[in-house]
Amino acid sequence: MYQASSQSSGTLQVVAITKRKLGRPVGVLAGLGVFSITLMFAVGNAVGSGLALSLLIGGSVVGWTLACTVAVGLLIALRNTYKAMERLLVALIGLMSVGFLASTILSDPNWIAAAKGLIPSIPAEAGFLLIALIGTNFSINSAFYTGYAIHERQLKREQYRAITLMDTLPGNVATAFMAMLIIIVASTVLNSTGTVATTFPQLAGVLEPLAGKVGSILFGLGFFAAAFSSMAANASAGGTLLADALGWDSSLSTWRVKLLVYSVLAWGAFVTVVAKGSPIELIIIAQALTVLVAPFLGIILFLLTRRTDVMGDLKNGPIQTVFAVIGLVAIFSISFRLVLNVFG
């Protein structure tokens, strides 16, 4: 949580403080970097939302993508946008958790084999898929947006410990847990049916012999909740941080921020319409490309969180620094791997 005596909530937005402490050009580039990441995530979120509803209800992926984009746009247009979005996200995250957990249990995986998968390994053939998985879970732009969310919620410095225990840690653990459940379901389908599911409808379809129609529906609901909830949060983060980089008021209730948020949503819908033939590949590539900007943003966070004039007594100590260095090494390594995959 960033200190600022001039802010009643006790927080200062990350891009603003980056401009003050590391120079205006660095702060502006940070805002543009986060915005570019949200554009990439927007594609995956838009395609994912439309794809899930197409599977559950029928109809065109593009049509449902446009409908979801309009729905999020109406949500952003509300007067108290942040509070409405927060309530929606809580409901969707609950739906996502139930959907993925239930579909995993119904598919009856080999839990001992799944536990062995916790031993780290990097399959040589993973390629873009591995990079995309790390890119979507190692979300640097979410770390940048945290300060703005705290400011929107008007939280105080003394609430830091409670926020960490009740919000930050459970949120990060839940994200990793949901990713593991999806991998377990996919591997169970492969091992039990011998079918390689290369598209989302194929995955949900081959779930039926294992978990019945209910299993595929639950998985589809979880997939929709994951994509649609990220659609709203991601666009809000992009618009807010770019506004701060441009020196505007970064409150989500201002019309300039809303316009920037709409531009993120519009970009996701536009790319989906143009590349409607290969939605799964589009999601993987878009998520993978986010790691190109992440190292730059990671260095900024690393430097700021070690400064006493920024963090006060909450600055990173030795233990946090070790984990931060591990994170930087991981994100630099995966970025290097992406460059090798793209340019050979």
Side-chain angles (χ1 to χ4, degrees), residues 9 22 47 51 64 78 80 92 109 120-121 135 160 162 165 180 183 185 200 211 228 233 249 287 308 328:
S9 63
L22 303 179
V47 176
L51 193 57
W64 281 118
L78 296 177
N80 197 342
L92 288 173
S121 63
Y160 167 75
L165 295 176
M180 286 191 291
I183 293 172
V185 170
F200 179 75
F228 190 77
D249 183 350
Q287 304 295 84
T308 304
L328 282 176

Side-chain angles (χ1 to χ4, degrees), residues 20 25 35 72 75 78-79 109 128 133 180 192 195 210 213 229 234 238 253 278 280 295 300 302 317 331 335 339:
R20 283 178 49 185
F35 186 73
V72 175
L75 174 66
L78 296 177
R79 177 172 298 179
F128 273 111
L133 181 64
M180 286 191 291
S192 299
T195 302
L210 301 175
K213 184 67 175 178
S229 61
N234 174 73
S253 60
S278 53
I280 294 296
I300 292 176
F302 180 80
I331 203 65
S335 294
V339 172

Side-chain angles (χ1 to χ4, degrees), residues 13 61 63 85 259-260 342:
Q13 288 83 345
V61 172
M85 186 169 65
L259 285 179
L260 292 176
V342 172

Side-chain angles (χ1 to χ4, degrees), residues 104-282:
T104 303
I105 294 173
L106 288 173
S107 64
D108 192 24
N110 184 333
W111 291 106
I112 296 178
K116 292 179 180 179
L118 294 174
I119 301 174
S121 63
I122 301 178
E125 66 276 9
F128 273 111
L129 185 58
L130 174 64
I131 297 170
L133 181 64
I134 295 177
T136 193
N137 285 282
F138 202 139
S139 185
I140 296 290
N141 60 308
S142 295
F144 263 75
Y145 186 58
T146 298
Y148 300 83
I150 290 173
H151 184 66
E152 289 281 353
R153 295 170 67 185
Q154 298 181 342
L155 299 174
K156 306 295 182 182
R157 181 190 182 281
E158 53 268 23
Q159 296 174 280
Y160 167 75
R161 184 173 296 276
I163 296 170
T164 301
L165 295 176
M166 301 301 295
D167 191 339
T168 307
L169 290 178
N172 282 280
V173 171
T175 300
F177 186 63
M178 292 301 108
M180 286 191 291
L181 291 180
I182 295 172
I183 293 172
I184 290 172
V185 170
S187 62
T188 301
V189 167
L190 175 63
N191 290 329
S192 299
T193 66
T195 302
V196 179
T198 58
T199 67
F200 179 75
Q202 285 179 358
L203 175 59
V206 296
L207 261 174
E208 291 190 23
L210 301 175
K213 184 67 175 178
V214 173
S216 62
I217 291 175
L218 287 171
F219 189 84
L221 288 173
F223 192 86
F224 168 73
F228 190 77
S229 61
S230 299
M231 195 175 183
N234 174 73
S236 300
T240 299
L241 271 81
L242 182 57
D244 198 8
L246 296 174
W248 300 342
D249 183 350
S250 58
S251 174
L252 193 55
S253 60
T254 62
W255 66 269
R256 283 178 171 174
V257 173
K258 289 181 185 292
L259 285 179
L260 292 176
V261 172
Y262 289 143
S263 70
V264 176
L265 293 173
W267 171 255
F270 170 75
V271 175
T272 302
V273 171
V274 172
K276 58 184 177 181
S278 53
I280 294 296
E281 290 78 5
L282 193 59

Side-chain angles (χ1 to χ4, degrees), residues 237 247 283:
I283 292 174

